[in-house]
Amino acid sequence: MFHALVAGGIVFPGLFLLAKNSLRRLPWLQWDEADAVIISARLVSSVQAVMASTAGYIVFSSCQHVLDDQHWLTSAYTQFAVPYFIYDIYAMFLCHWHKYRVKGHEGAGPRSLRTVTRAFLHKELLMVLHHLCMVLVCFPVSVLWRQGKGDFFLGCMLMAELSTPFVCLGKVLILYKQQHTLLHKVNGLLMLVTFFCCRILLFPYMYWAYGRQAGLPLHRVPLALPPACNLGAALLLAPQLYWFGLICRGAARLFRRARPKDADAAPLRNGHGPGGRALD
């Protein structure tokens, strides 16, 4: 466990620093610190998502028995990914700190650390709680409580990250005023589909997979499971439904015929839904 945790603690912050410094030094980009920080944070999130969904697919496709089959990659990647969630809280804060320097926000002016921190927690509280839950609750449960059972389900949960690269690309396109492009519309559609399939339909699918293994119809599966399992699934599903609602509202604004005065309005503001809530 120690080696995987240390590796994750080196890889994700190291990749962020490498990307940020590389972007700053490319002469044709001429990006400042704020641009480099925000793009690098999105890049690291996308890399982690690809790694997680790949690991999840390998585990998911290798476990024939949903409870008893095991795969070494389950524990290894779970431990490797823990430092990412800690790093990402800091990366989100850096992005928020530099927000006033991003194109279109130059007029925000400098702010104190206390003011920025308070605004960050107000805007990103749900995401911060989600990350802390992954570290303080989901990690101990996956490593200790389940006692080697249910690698199949952990593989399914890792595949939920498949939508993250599309979310990150959408934030970048909005940041640079590219909402009118075909790329943004195609990316928005892919984000909608992958988020719905990998973060919403994922939960009834896992219930159905368990029911098939146990010989139960889908509607009887929740009654056959311990209450803690149903509660955990409900707590994990709830924020996904909230974020999916924000994505749907943004997609409705994007694809409906906009009036001329709304032509430049962003369906999602700086990668956030209505109310300033981050999508990922």
Side-chain angles (χ1 to χ4, degrees):
M1 179 186 300
F2 178 75
H3 292 156
L5 289 171
V6 171
I10 294 174
V11 168
F12 296 116
L15 180 59
F16 172 78
L17 292 174
L18 177 63
K20 181 175 72 72
N21 293 332
S22 299
L23 291 173
R24 288 293 308 277
R25 293 175 181 175
L26 292 177
W28 59 86
L29 288 178
Q30 297 182 343
W31 280 351
D32 60 12
E33 182 78 7
D35 293 315
V37 164
I38 293 172
I39 299 302
S40 298
R42 306 303 184 214
L43 175 63
V44 175
S45 295
S46 298
V47 170
Q48 192 280 144
V50 171
M51 295 171 64
S53 55
T54 301
Y57 177 77
I58 294 173
V59 173
F60 158 81
S61 59
S62 300
C63 296
Q64 300 301 317
H65 195 284
V66 300
L67 286 181
D68 296 332
D69 284 359
Q70 296 182 346
H71 195 285
W72 67 270
L73 195 55
T74 309
S75 297
Y77 192 82
T78 300
Q79 297 158 18
F80 176 73
V82 166
Y84 164 78
F85 293 101
I86 301 173
Y87 141 82
D88 197 47
I89 294 176
Y90 178 68
M92 288 190 300
F93 176 78
L94 279 182
C95 292
H96 184 81
W97 177 267
H98 288 289
K99 181 179 178 181
Y100 71 93
R101 299 180 59 192
V102 177
K103 295 178 179 64
H105 299 87
E106 294 89 342
R111 294 171 289 180
S112 67
L113 176 61
R114 182 176 180 179
T115 302
V116 175
T117 302
R118 186 185 299 113
F120 167 72
L121 291 176
H122 176 75
K123 178 178 292 186
E124 307 286 2
L125 181 61
L126 182 58
M127 185 61 66
V128 171
L129 291 177
H130 173 266
H131 279 33
L132 291 177
C133 178
M134 296 300 293
V135 176
L136 300 178
V137 179
C138 294
F139 174 65
V141 167
S142 64
V143 173
L144 302 175
W145 180 76
R146 67 188 187 93
Q147 298 180 341
K149 299 283 188 179
D151 281 19
F152 171 87
F153 297 111
L154 276 181
C156 290
M157 295 301 297
L158 287 173
M159 289 183 64
E161 292 292 330
L162 186 62
S163 63
T164 299
F166 303 108
V167 174
C168 291
L169 179 58
K171 292 178 179 181
V172 172
L173 292 173
I174 291 170
L175 189 65
Y176 291 99
K177 312 295 185 183
Q178 299 300 309
Q179 299 95 316
H180 61 283
T181 62
L182 177 62
L183 175 60
H184 184 261
K185 294 180 180 180
V186 172
N187 180 75
L189 180 61
L190 291 173
M191 178 176 65
L192 186 68
V193 172
T194 55
F195 198 100
F196 179 70
C197 293
C198 298
R199 291 179 180 255
I200 306 299
L201 287 184
L202 173 70
F203 289 90
Y205 172 76
M206 290 192 295
Y207 275 71
W208 173 83
Y210 177 84
R212 184 184 61 174
Q213 191 82 64
L216 296 172
L218 179 61
H219 68 276
R220 293 184 57 189
V221 172
L223 299 177
L225 294 174
C229 293
N230 293 317
L231 177 61
L235 292 176
L236 289 172
L237 178 60
Q240 312 305 327
L241 291 173
Y242 172 75
W243 287 320
F244 183 68
L246 297 183
I247 292 175
C248 289
R249 292 176 65 178
R253 292 184 183 181
L254 177 64
F255 288 101
R256 73 186 180 186
R257 182 175 298 176
R259 293 174 296 179
K261 66 177 182 179
D262 295 328
D264 296 328
L268 301 174
R269 185 173 180 82
N270 195 23
H272 297 77
R277 300 296 184 183
L279 295 181
D280 197 350

